[in-house]
Amino acid sequence: MFVCLGVAGLLAGCMPGTTAADSDNSAGKGPVATDPATMGKVTLNVVDAFSGGVDNAWMASVVKAFEKKYPNITIKRTPMAWGDAMAALPLKLKSANPPDIVPANNGWQSMGTLVRGGLLLNLDNYAHAYGWKKSFPQSILNQHMFSTDGKQMGTGSLFGTPVARASLIEVYYNRSLLKKIGAKVPTTYAEFQADLAKAKSAGITPVALGNSNQGGITEPLFSLMNAFGPQSKITEFTYSQGDVKIADTGFPKAVSTLKQWSDRGYLTTGYAGVDSADAAQSFANGKGLFHFDYSGSLPLKPGQSKDFGSFILPRADGGKPVATGSSAANFSISSKSKHADAAAAFLDFMAGEQAAELAVENGTMPLLHPDVKAPAGDPLLSDDVAITRSISANGTSVPYLDWTTPTLLNTINTTMQSLLAGKSTEKAVVTAADQDVSAFAKTLGK
């Protein structure tokens, strides 16, 4: 069979898979089958976090396409809300009859913990059989790798695979409001800052943001970090490679800049009491020039796409824009699965070209396949497809900073909320993040 995946950055071409690796499954090596048609009648139990909207539609279409191609294999889905799935995985995987495939989230919050508990299958044998370590871009491979002792992220063996859908933090903009202030899509950081001031002067909310549920801070914060910090340092810090401190990543400058935006009235009035979902809806209703969020996350009605566009926040030094991004989901196989070969075949299919085409058909950003084109008449999706192509060509993606420890996201959100309320300092935010990372490193024996 063939697997079509990426070559550089986030996307690229095709190559044939092989039929065997060279040792046993539990150790990540051993002969494996890669032709689903020869595997007999199999039912795969799959837990996913695609419980609604375009996510559910995409997953359902992928399952339908796989079962049509391989009618001997049945996919039995258990869709769950994201938070519920993450909370349930440890118990599900420890049960006597665990699901075959689970959406173990990248980083220490989920995948790292499950690897340390021996609950996920080492996929090195399948990586060899399908050619994943050659065809997946290294930036994507690193996001799914841990040392077999579970102490090091971003290196070692493969414990998960991506799907052919991207999830990037981007800046959405309102086309008519940008025109109203006499501006074009900013291509420099200075232009972006100028647009914020122009919007404020025109009585337009510069950045639609809500944070009553601590759900709206990290998107602009991580984007600002990417605008200021070296790409290599952000990656090395997240994966705990070398002696990189959070001060080296652009994080302190990002913290101070977001505080400045708040002080200057660039954020939604009363944003501390506004839910992040409500802020996104307000932006979709035309109340705000910019909005930082994940790709494909705007609550748009049919036909609204023409009113909005997207871009990656430009770098302050004029370099190529850097995006925090990954696959929209990643899947792992239970270490107890009795159908690992069939499960790996489904993982391979979810990363394939047909899955990327189904992503676009469902109106969401593809991954791993640069030749997939957006349909005519959907300018926002066209922007998203162009972004993934650019990020791929330039190799300018970084992992999510909060993957660094199981608790860093909560630490950042809590301390930033205190800072923006005027109850803390920028230094306190950085210090708390440093302490969180240091404390976790000690639990790993580092």
Side-chain angles (χ1 to χ4, degrees), residues 136 155 226-227 322 338 363 391 419:
F136 284 166
T155 188
N226 297 341
V322 173
K338 298 176 182 178
I391 294 298
L419 169 67

Side-chain angles (χ1 to χ4, degrees), residues 369-381:
H369 303 278
D371 295 331
V372 173
K373 297 179 180 179
D378 192 339
L380 178 55
L381 184 55

Side-chain angles (χ1 to χ4, degrees), residues 28-306:
K29 300 176 182 178
V32 299
T34 59
D35 183 0
T38 66
M39 295 178 186
K41 292 286 186 180
V42 175
T43 295
L44 290 176
N45 289 293
V46 178
V47 173
D48 66 68
F50 296 139
S51 58
V54 66
D55 291 333
N56 182 62
W58 174 79
M59 186 66 178
S61 67
V62 170
V63 169
K64 182 178 179 180
F66 182 80
E67 290 181 333
K68 181 179 180 180
K69 188 173 183 179
Y70 304 110
N72 57 306
I73 299 179
T74 299
I75 306 298
K76 184 178 179 181
R77 288 181 60 199
T78 303
M80 302 179 70
W82 178 257
D84 294 339
M86 294 305 103
L89 289 190
L91 287 178
K92 283 183 174 293
L93 288 168
K94 290 177 183 178
S95 69
N97 295 296
D100 296 288
I101 296 173
V102 296
N105 191 28
N106 306 93
W108 289 108
Q109 299 99 324
S110 180
M111 187 180 290
T113 300
L114 298 175
V115 169
R116 294 183 76 187
L119 299 175
L120 300 182
L121 185 67
N122 183 325
L123 300 179
D124 280 351
N125 52 342
Y126 295 108
H128 178 84
Y130 286 103
W132 291 338
K133 288 193 176 181
K134 293 181 179 179
S135 55
F136 284 166
Q138 193 62 47
S139 59
I140 293 294
L141 274 174
N142 290 346
Q143 295 177 5
H144 302 84
M145 297 177 75
F146 281 86
S147 59
T148 52
D149 62 5
K151 292 186 177 182
Q152 180 67 53
M153 178 171 59
T155 188
S157 292
L158 200 67
F159 286 93
T161 58
V163 298
R165 279 185 56 199
S167 176
L168 303 178
I169 295 178
E170 56 188 1
V171 187
Y172 291 99
Y173 68 94
N174 183 303
R175 294 181 186 274
S176 63
L177 293 182
L178 193 64
K179 184 177 180 180
K180 184 176 181 179
I181 65 171
K184 296 181 179 180
V185 178
T187 58
T188 69
Y189 182 76
E191 290 175 352
F192 181 80
Q193 285 280 67
D195 289 345
L196 297 179
K198 289 177 183 177
K200 177 66 175 175
S201 296
I204 299 168
T205 299
V207 178
L209 185 148
N211 197 53
S212 65
N213 58 337
Q214 294 188 13
I217 287 178
T218 53
E219 291 89 343
L221 187 65
F222 290 179
S223 294
L224 284 166
M225 180 181 67
N226 297 341
F228 299 128
Q231 178 186 349
S232 61
K233 297 298 184 183
I234 296 170
T235 299
E236 290 168 11
F237 175 81
T238 304
Y239 293 143
S240 303
Q241 296 171 347
D243 190 27
V244 181
K245 304 298 183 184
I246 201 166
D248 303 324
T249 66
F251 182 77
K253 178 67 172 176
V255 170
S256 63
T257 300
L258 192 56
K259 179 65 165 62
Q260 289 172 5
W261 287 1
S262 178
D263 293 343
R264 293 173 182 174
Y266 287 170
L267 309 180
T268 297
T269 301
Y271 65 87
V274 177
D275 186 87
S276 58
D278 292 337
Q281 186 62 64
S282 178
F283 176 75
N285 292 342
K287 299 178 181 179
L289 178 61
F290 298 123
H291 175 64
F292 291 80
D293 216 326
Y294 298 98
S295 52
S297 63
L298 279 189
L300 299 178
K301 297 177 182 178
Q304 272 193 297
S305 175
K306 65 182 186 301

